[in-house]
Amino acid sequence: MPGHPSSSRFFSATPVFGRAEFAEAVGRRPGDRAITELLKYHLRAGNIRRISRGVFASVRKGTHPAPTTVDRLLAASRLRPGAVIAYQSALELHGCPMIQGTEVQLIASGEPGCIDTVDFACRFVRPTIPCSLSDGVTTFERQGVSVNATTLERTLVDLFHRYDLAGGAEGLFGSLDLMMETEVSLNLDALVGFASRLGNATAIGVLGFWLDRERHALGVEAAEALEELRSLAPRHAAYALGATPGHGRAATGWNVILPADIVERYFDD
């Protein structure tokens, strides 16, 4: 069994994998004891290394297991069945430059929380938009393997709702500034659709404020989308992004009061 030729072919073609994927490749059931023994054999032989419980990385021939570089986004996507790369990690997949070293963020069913692997930290978050994990999801290829991530439009709505996952207000708008440098193209219908399903008027007000300020840079006819977002914004002034009474500035037309430096950044020369 250790010399099963399909093992070598599988490792060559699959940089990161779970136990079930490996079992299928060698024609066994995931729960078979033989799979446990086979994985132990390849771990001892240095053909693979463990990323986390039930998830492994293939090791290139002639390379010691420890320094093997693992694609953290690919590996994280295998840590929980059905998990979808989201928030700032999704922005990275969409080609937006990010600060390296941040945790990998995913939406997934099951309990939320953080885990640490030898290579990276990973945070699982329950979906905030009332829709299935497959809605607003697209596929990327990483080292020949498919990885699911939220679409850019859903990613933005999620980030405005959970700006804490972007490092707070300054982190969120810093990420947005980096994103704008990539000359992104947004599907405004999809953006408004996800915002509507979110049902968080305050977050929608902040999203509308940002889109309003960036409408020319985005190169889109945003008037209709802005009006739809305005209808979903708070009816009365609401504090957002951590602003507090006496320490905020109104975002004109959106009924949200934001930290002054967030508003003022759009009026700098």
Side-chain angles (χ1 to χ4, degrees), residues 188-240:
L188 294 183
D189 288 338
L191 186 72
V192 172
F194 283 117
S196 177
R197 294 164 72 178
L198 174 65
N200 182 325
T202 302
I204 292 171
V206 183
L207 168 62
F209 161 77
W210 171 75
L211 187 64
D212 196 6
R213 296 305 183 273
E214 296 286 5
R215 63 186 184 277
H216 298 302
L218 286 168
V220 295
E221 293 297 332
E224 184 176 342
L226 288 171
E227 286 310 306
E228 290 187 59
L229 288 174
R230 208 180 304 276
S231 71
L232 300 169
R235 294 181 179 275
H236 306 286
Y239 288 91

Side-chain angles (χ1 to χ4, degrees), residues 124-140:
F124 294 102
V125 183
R126 287 199 180 108
T128 55
I129 298 175
C131 59
S132 72
L133 285 175
S134 61
D135 289 338
V137 172
T138 188
T139 301
F140 292 88

